[in-house]
Amino acid sequence: MNYNFSNRMKDMQGSAIREIFKAAADPETISLAGGNPAPETFPAGELAKIASEILEKEGTLALQYGLTEGYPKLRTALCERLREKEGIGSENDELIVVSGGQQGIDLTVKCLLNEGDGILVEEPSFIGALNAFRSYGAKLIGVPMDEDGMSLSALREAIETNERIKAIYTIPNHQNPSGITMSAEKRQAVYQIAKEHGLVIIEDNPYGEITFDGKPPKSIKSLDDGTTVVYCGSFSKVLSPGMRIGFCIGPKEIIAKNVIAKQVADVHTPMLTQLLAYEYMTRYDMEANIQKAAALYRHKCETMLACIKKYFPSEITHTTPNGGLFIWCDMGEGYDAAEVALRCAKEKVVFVPGNTFMVDMNKPCSAFRLNYSTMSDEKIEEGIRILGGVLGDIMK
């Protein structure tokens, strides 16, 4: 049968990262591709104890339908934590619990953008968000990155030369895929530009707490009066990705529409995992677990950077992140990282070529993303050694 797919989906391509995950399932493959947190950071023992108690004492609550907005105790705890840690929250703000940060992005864009509306995105940027924008027929407008975040001059130029722009999407902390952290000055400037032009900022912060050297600058949302910024957060990197617990806090009018959109999508985030998250937050030292994870990732990052220095051709440039899970490398003009990826896959080393993170995914890209979160030190070194050999051959 010849299926006539909808306009919004017929040209959509699956995430290259998810496809690479399939290849990485081979135990002999060294994966520098994904963004999975390290399994040793999961508090499995504590969660097992909590789950048993919940199902024994509060089984009906855990297994029954819940409120679309989220479990009230969890919402209250999240609001308190955001206020204390980030200075986030005003009388104009509301919070919704969502099924991972990805759903928060998806719901927000679904409610804000019509087909043909423009959204300004960092380039490179997170493929999951880019695909969400594409799925609603949005026009993606790339804004190149400086060492301290998106280029302000390019941002202003994009606003002046494009019509029907409604939003700016940014990952200010340890950005995926670049690892770049936006400076405090740029956060203030981006916020002022958005206010000036009546644009909504979607601030995505899944990595902000995985920081190696002090805290990142204050979030853009902390500057907000409750009218401009929708802040999307997640427990995926600080507790467990499989629990699918995320949250959005933003203007009440936007969150009210998100609630309606979520009712259509999945009714509510599973009650059992919401209860697990709440009980873990209130019973255990979540901050200590986050610091433990950050220390582990800092070591892995330093290991990979040392191996890059040892094995990569000197012409290759790279970012030096102070948090998060990724390093961005660039071979320079005239090279295509997709060619390198194919060569490396044959030697059982996988990574993600940079075109995946661009507005135009079909255009060759000389850059690529490396992840250090899940491989052992030995596998990191072996993978970088093999990758460095292939790079050396191609760049000759």
Side-chain angles (χ1 to χ4, degrees):
M1 183 180 293
N2 183 24
Y3 296 103
N4 188 17
F5 290 107
S6 65
N7 291 337
R8 73 176 64 89
M9 291 303 296
K10 66 181 181 181
D11 295 324
M12 288 283 292
Q13 301 177 36
S15 168
I17 301 171
R18 306 310 300 182
E19 295 302 312
I20 289 170
F21 278 173
K22 296 176 184 177
D26 182 345
E28 295 184 6
T29 296
I30 297 174
S31 177
L32 309 177
N36 289 358
E40 56 265 42
T41 66
F42 303 156
E46 292 91 336
L47 291 174
K49 181 180 178 181
I50 294 170
S52 177
E53 293 180 10
I54 288 172
L55 291 172
E56 182 178 347
K57 298 177 181 179
E58 297 186 276
T60 299
L61 178 62
L63 302 176
Q64 187 55 277
Y65 286 118
L67 298 175
T68 303
E69 292 86 344
Y71 178 48
K73 288 185 178 180
L74 177 59
R75 292 175 67 217
T76 299
L78 285 169
C79 287
E80 291 175 353
R81 189 167 188 267
L82 287 167
R83 190 179 303 111
E84 291 174 2
K85 293 200 68 175
E86 299 282 349
I88 287 175
S90 74
E91 62 181 14
N92 297 320
D93 283 311
E94 191 61 87
L95 182 142
I96 180 176
V97 177
V98 290
S99 299
Q102 175 72 28
Q103 187 182 55
I105 297 166
D106 182 83
L107 295 177
T108 301
V109 175
K110 182 177 184 178
C111 294
L112 288 177
L113 300 187
N114 291 315
E115 289 192 15
D117 285 343
I119 182 165
L120 298 157
V121 301
E122 295 162 333
E123 193 163 38
S125 191
F126 171 47
I127 179 61
L130 298 182
N131 272 347
F133 308 150
R134 292 182 179 116
S135 73
Y136 295 111
K139 178 184 177 182
L140 276 62
I141 303 161
V143 179
M145 297 282 281
D146 295 330
E147 292 183 355
D148 62 344
M150 65 167 58
S151 165
L152 295 179
S153 60
L155 177 64
R156 292 189 180 97
E157 181 181 356
I159 293 172
E160 292 170 1
T161 56
N162 289 275
E163 297 179 348
R164 293 176 56 186
I165 297 175
K166 282 191 174 179
I168 301 171
Y169 171 72
T170 178
I171 311 171
N173 296 327
H174 324 311
Q175 197 240 20
N176 179 5
S178 70
I180 290 171
T181 294
M182 186 185 290
S183 66
E185 294 77 16
K186 280 200 171 176
R187 293 172 195 236
Q188 181 71 52
V190 169
Y191 178 70
Q192 292 301 328
I193 290 170
K195 292 281 284 186
E196 178 184 344
H197 293 277
L199 305 177
V200 173
I201 296 174
I202 303 172
E203 181 178 12
D204 191 10
N205 188 31
Y207 310 103
E209 296 192 83
I210 305 299
T211 186
F212 305 154
D213 185 17
K215 288 185 63 177
K218 287 186 176 181
S219 65
I220 301 174
K221 181 62 181 173
S222 70
L223 307 172
D224 191 29
D225 58 3
T227 64
T228 302
V229 183
V230 177
Y231 178 99
C232 298
S234 172
F235 277 15
S236 292
K237 306 303 184 292
V238 299
L239 186 57
S240 157
M243 290 172 64
R244 306 311 301 139
I245 297 290
F247 52 90
C248 283
I249 183 169
K252 290 180 179 179
E253 295 88 346
I254 295 177
I255 299 303
K257 291 296 185 184
N258 282 8
V259 170
I260 297 170
K262 183 171 172 62
Q263 289 169 353
V264 175
D266 64 358
V267 184
H268 65 83
T269 300
M271 284 298 297
L272 177 57
T273 53
Q274 289 192 72
L275 287 164
L276 278 170
Y278 170 72
E279 294 294 339
Y280 184 82
M281 285 178 68
T282 54
R283 291 195 206 182
Y284 294 95
D285 190 345
M286 186 167 163
E287 305 307 319
N289 194 56
I290 292 170
Q291 292 306 312
K292 178 182 175 183
L296 173 67
Y297 296 138
R298 178 175 185 168
H299 168 77
K300 288 176 177 289
C301 180
E302 290 173 346
T303 298
M304 181 171 280
L305 288 170
C307 293
I308 286 172
K309 183 177 181 180
K310 181 177 180 181
Y311 294 112
F312 276 16
S314 59
E315 300 92 330
I316 291 180
T317 60
H318 64 82
T319 56
T320 303
N322 64 349
L325 308 180
F326 308 110
I327 297 171
W328 184 249
C329 302
D330 198 334
M331 295 181 285
E333 190 174 350
Y335 296 103
D336 186 359
E339 178 186 352
V340 182
L342 289 172
R343 289 267 301 268
C344 286
K346 293 178 181 178
E347 300 193 43
K348 295 188 178 296
V349 174
V350 293
F351 63 90
V352 187
N355 64 296
T356 301
F357 307 99
M358 300 298 182
V359 169
D360 183 356
M361 295 175 64
N362 297 314
K363 183 179 178 181
C365 179
S366 60
F368 54 92
R369 189 192 77 176
L370 299 176
N371 164 261
Y372 45 76
S373 60
T374 59
M375 294 291 101
S376 66
D377 290 3
E378 293 75 20
K379 285 194 172 184
I380 288 173
E381 178 158 14
E382 180 66 5
I384 295 298
R385 183 188 66 77
I386 292 171
L387 172 54
V390 173
L391 288 168
D393 289 341
I394 288 177
M395 295 181 73
K396 283 178 181 176

